[in-house]
Amino acid sequence: MGIDLDVTLQGGRTTRVFFVETVKDLSSRLSDYGQRVLWVFDVNSARLFTSLPQNSVILPSGEKFKSWASIEKILCAALDAHLGRDSLFIAFGGGVVCDMTAFAASIYMRGCGLVLVPTTLLCMVDASIGGKSAIDFHGGKNLVGTFYPARDVLISPSCLRTLPESEYMSGLGEVLKHAFLASDRQLYDFLVDNRKAVLARDRETLSTMLHLSLKVKASYIERDPEEKKGIRQALNLGHTFAHALESLEDFRVRHGIAVAWGLSRAAHCSLDAGVCDASLVEAVDSLLRLYGFDIDRRVERGRWLDFQSAVAKDKKNISGKVRFVLLEDWGRPVLKDLPSALVQRNVIASAALR
Amino acid sequence: MGIDLDVTLQGGRTTRVFFVETVKDLSSRLSDYGQRVLWVFDVNSARLFTSLPQNSVILPSGEKFKSWASIEKILCAALDAHLGRDSLFIAFGGGVVCDMTAFAASIYMRGCGLVLVPTTLLCMVDASIGGKSAIDFHGGKNLVGTFYPARDVLISPSCLRTLPESEYMSGLGEVLKHAFLASDRQLYDFLVDNRKAVLARDRETLSTMLHLSLKVKASYIERDPEEKKGIRQALNLGHTFAHALESLEDFRVRHGIAVAWGLSRAAHCSLDAGVCDASLVEAVDSLLRLYGFDIDRRVERGRWLDFQSAVAKDKKNISGKVRFVLLEDWGRPVLKDLPSALVQRNVIASAALR
């Protein structure tokens, strides 16, 4: 197993991404990390093991446990195991587990080693690379955290075989988003041509898709590791709409599903604002439809104010400005303020307002 | 007011150290930071202001409040003030306030701006540069934290005029330590020649002393910002002894006083271990005596086991190894394991064991 992708981030730190074909390869690779290790699972990912390694901590599952209390659990387990700064935290799970383990690793004795083993598609293509660690704080998503790239990320498409369908589709939402952030159409064409194999989770197909998708994400974060230049923000394409929808629906909509919807809304707003052509919107919508995403969903008229205030609450906008990621063309994202009326007519249900 | 010292740390981040002559200059400089600012005080440093700026948080004073609860207070105040990633946290106080504000700044929205205004000598020469942020955790000092260099450090020797004598002496302990870590004898000679002015806290004298002391510290941290190469550890000269003494005395001994004692013990152990000459030990002890530090203090025989276990608990030793910083010569620190019997005979009171 070679290194399949190197991502160089803040301060020259490099994350090595390894693709691991089988579960057996994954175990053997993991055992190479030795004994000075703390394993972090959630109740779901812990079930993938028949017996858990020594020095394990199992967190409750779900966004509402993405809190300091969980971080304390991880830190205490590390102390109990007498781990020093030279030790390694290994996260085994989805985005919540990976984000929290990364945060704990970044602050334990001012930083110990970190390895991520994402077990969901969403986490593989999104949270696992880029070095963002986080917990939620006082109702705000990911308000507290650090930039702390993992040393290694181990990606095993075979983990995805047992992933619930809704989880898998949620991950695909982010993959489709990457297709429009790429400067070439490789990922887009691949998704159009291989729909059946992608949906059937064919291992080879998944490997190629993950590769292409990660390459797109890497190209943005490498140019702007700490999100200070307005480049990395492009990865939030669709996310302002998505976060507001998630908030409105009390997080019963899965993140990537909301992102897929948000991607379509961002494309329509881009057209409405005169920054892109209709052909791009057509391409976005048809790819989303090809994969079965519901892009016809609209927010009820009576909930517009809720939606609007959810948009304003989004972390990126806390300083008062609401900036949307729009698309000028394939691979040409742009950050823009949008008039409220424009957003409204592209988001709410009432035909009268269209 | 120009930049007086630049310290380049992890990832090329630079801390600019400014010496500010008068309290008036300090105020004017601080007002330049604008409005998007959160001020952090403790009850002592808050007293230095007749009216506090908007967006202030006042922490209780003392090591036992160096906890997550205090960090939450800072983060909540920042949220209440609607501060974004582009805002600035300004710490105004001693080591505890500066360490905690730095930690909070490093994790608020994955990192906002940080300015430190140390108000104690100890913090000026020690905590304020080097980028170490921390809280205590489960009884362990500074077990949780980040490396997050301040953007600016504002040093105003005039703040020291009202510092209690014991606090001032505590800071001098660290300054004297730096005198033996410097490769030249500039700081040492300065301390020998200017005892009276140093103890009288003459402003010019303080400025020179702080300059020389900070230059020594900077030379170690610039070569090893994240304490990974065994270079930065040298700044812990005397600290293994000091931490154990502090723990034994329930932190009733001030840190720098304990460090001064530890410096003498480290010198004697260095001689005993055959790594340095008697002349160096003589220089250490005579400088410490010149400034009135009690270097004849010994640990009671009956408390040796407590002392020993306090040594073993020291954070740096959590992985099982106890390494001491010894001195081979002026400016030539070395990390070494020491036989327990050697440490014992240099630390405990019983003449019979000498």
Side-chain angles (χ1 to χ4, degrees), chain A residues 311-350:
Chain A
V311 164
K313 253 196 197 159
D314 201 31
K315 170 168 52 86
K316 289 94 202 166
N317 308 319
I318 205 148
S319 51
K321 268 198 250 168
V322 180
R323 305 192 80 187
F324 291 84
V325 184
L326 300 183
L327 280 176
E328 289 181 346
D329 203 346
W330 301 73
R332 282 184 40 206
V334 61
L335 295 173
K336 252 193 157 36
D337 302 341
L338 284 181
S340 169
L342 189 152
V343 177
Q344 189 181 13
R345 68 175 168 260
N346 283 285
V347 158
I348 72 163
S350 161

Side-chain angles (χ1 to χ4, degrees), chain A residues 3 6 36 52 63 97 103 118 184 200 224 235 242 267 274 326 329:
Chain A
I3 301 176
D6 259 14
R36 302 191 54 69
L52 290 183
E63 185 80 24
V97 172
F103 185 46
D184 60 37
D224 181 17
L235 294 167
L326 300 183
D329 203 346

Side-chain angles (χ1 to χ4, degrees), chain A residues 245-263:
Chain A
L245 182 69
E246 285 175 273
S247 157
L248 224 62
E249 299 286 331
D250 272 332
F251 293 92
R252 284 182 305 260
V253 193
R254 286 190 183 268
H255 177 66
I257 308 287
V259 168
W261 177 79
L263 169 62

Side-chain angles (χ1 to χ4, degrees), chain A residues 13 85 107 109 143 145 226, chain B residues 13 85 109 143 145 226:
Chain A
R13 282 190 170 118
R85 277 188 71 196
I107 64 174
M109 300 195 178
L143 275 187
E226 296 196 358
Chain B
R13 282 189 170 119
R85 278 186 69 195
M109 299 195 180
L143 275 186
E226 297 198 357

Side-chain angles (χ1 to χ4, degrees), chain A residues 98-171:
Chain A
C98 287
D99 281 4
M100 285 205 292
T101 306
F103 185 46
S106 73
I107 64 174
Y108 185 66
M109 300 195 178
R110 300 199 183 92
C112 64
L114 174 67
V115 169
L116 301 176
V117 189
T119 57
T120 67
L121 179 56
L122 185 65
C123 186
M124 287 178 189
V125 297
D126 192 25
S128 71
I129 69 162
K132 282 189 178 179
S133 85
I135 53 173
D136 299 339
F137 188 77
H138 279 245
K141 205 166 139 71
N142 298 335
L143 275 187
V144 166
T146 50
F147 285 100
Y148 199 73
R151 192 181 298 172
D152 298 345
V153 174
L154 308 186
I155 291 190
S156 175
S158 45
C159 286
L160 301 181
R161 221 165 296 150
T162 55
L163 199 67
E165 186 64 14
S166 59
E167 278 276 7
Y168 184 70
M169 290 308 295
S170 177

Side-chain angles (χ1 to χ4, degrees), chain A residues 80-316:
Chain A
D80 289 346
H82 299 285
L83 297 179
R85 277 188 71 196
D86 56 345
S87 62
L88 199 64
F89 289 6
I90 303 182
F92 204 99
V96 174
V97 172
C98 287
D99 281 4
M100 285 205 292
T101 306
F103 185 46
S106 73
I107 64 174
Y108 185 66
M109 300 195 178
R110 300 199 183 92
C112 64
L114 174 67
V115 169
L116 301 176
V117 189
T119 57
T120 67
L121 179 56
L122 185 65
C123 186
M124 287 178 189
V125 297
D126 192 25
S128 71
I129 69 162
K132 282 189 178 179
S133 85
I135 53 173
D136 299 339
F137 188 77
H138 279 245
K141 205 166 139 71
N142 298 335
L143 275 187
V144 166
T146 50
F147 285 100
Y148 199 73
R151 192 181 298 172
D152 298 345
V153 174
L154 308 186
I155 291 190
S156 175
S158 45
C159 286
L160 301 181
R161 221 165 296 150
T162 55
L163 199 67
E165 186 64 14
S166 59
E167 278 276 7
Y168 184 70
M169 290 308 295
S170 177
L172 277 184
E174 291 277 357
V175 174
L176 267 56
K177 178 201 77 179
H178 286 157
F180 294 95
L181 289 172
S183 48
D184 60 37
R185 303 203 185 178
Q186 253 193 302
L187 178 57
Y188 176 81
D189 290 342
F190 185 84
L191 288 167
V192 170
D193 297 343
N194 294 278
R195 176 181 170 275
K196 226 173 137 180
V198 167
L199 291 177
R201 310 187 197 177
D202 170 69
R203 203 167 70 192
E204 285 287 301
T205 309
L206 284 179
S207 282
T208 309
M209 180 185 84
L210 285 163
H211 244 107
L212 292 171
S213 188
L214 284 169
K215 259 173 60 188
V216 177
K217 177 158 188 190
S219 76
Y220 283 87
I221 53 184
E222 285 191 326
R223 283 178 289 154
D224 181 17
E226 296 196 358
E227 207 163 282
K228 286 179 174 164
K229 301 177 189 164
I231 297 170
R232 187 171 174 158
Q233 274 96 327
L235 294 167
N236 289 326
L237 177 61
H239 278 62
T240 303
F241 299 97
H243 289 157
L245 182 69
E246 285 175 273
S247 157
L248 224 62
E249 299 286 331
D250 272 332
F251 293 92
R252 284 182 305 260
V253 193
R254 286 190 183 268
H255 177 66
I257 308 287
V259 168
W261 177 79
L263 169 62
S264 170
R265 290 308 91 204
H268 282 269
C269 285
S270 303
L271 179 65
D272 199 350
V275 305
C276 78
D277 286 341
S279 62
L280 182 70
V281 180
E282 179 47 38
V284 168
D285 281 356
S286 66
L287 184 64
L288 287 166
R289 281 213 173 86
L290 183 67
Y291 277 87
F293 288 101
D294 173 14
I295 54 170
D296 298 320
R297 171 180 212 146
R298 292 293 179 277
V299 174
E300 289 164 48
R301 205 179 174 178
R303 305 206 66 193
W304 165 245
L305 289 179
D306 293 344
F307 188 87
Q308 206 179 13
S309 81
V311 164
K313 253 196 197 159
D314 201 31
K315 170 168 52 86
K316 289 94 202 166

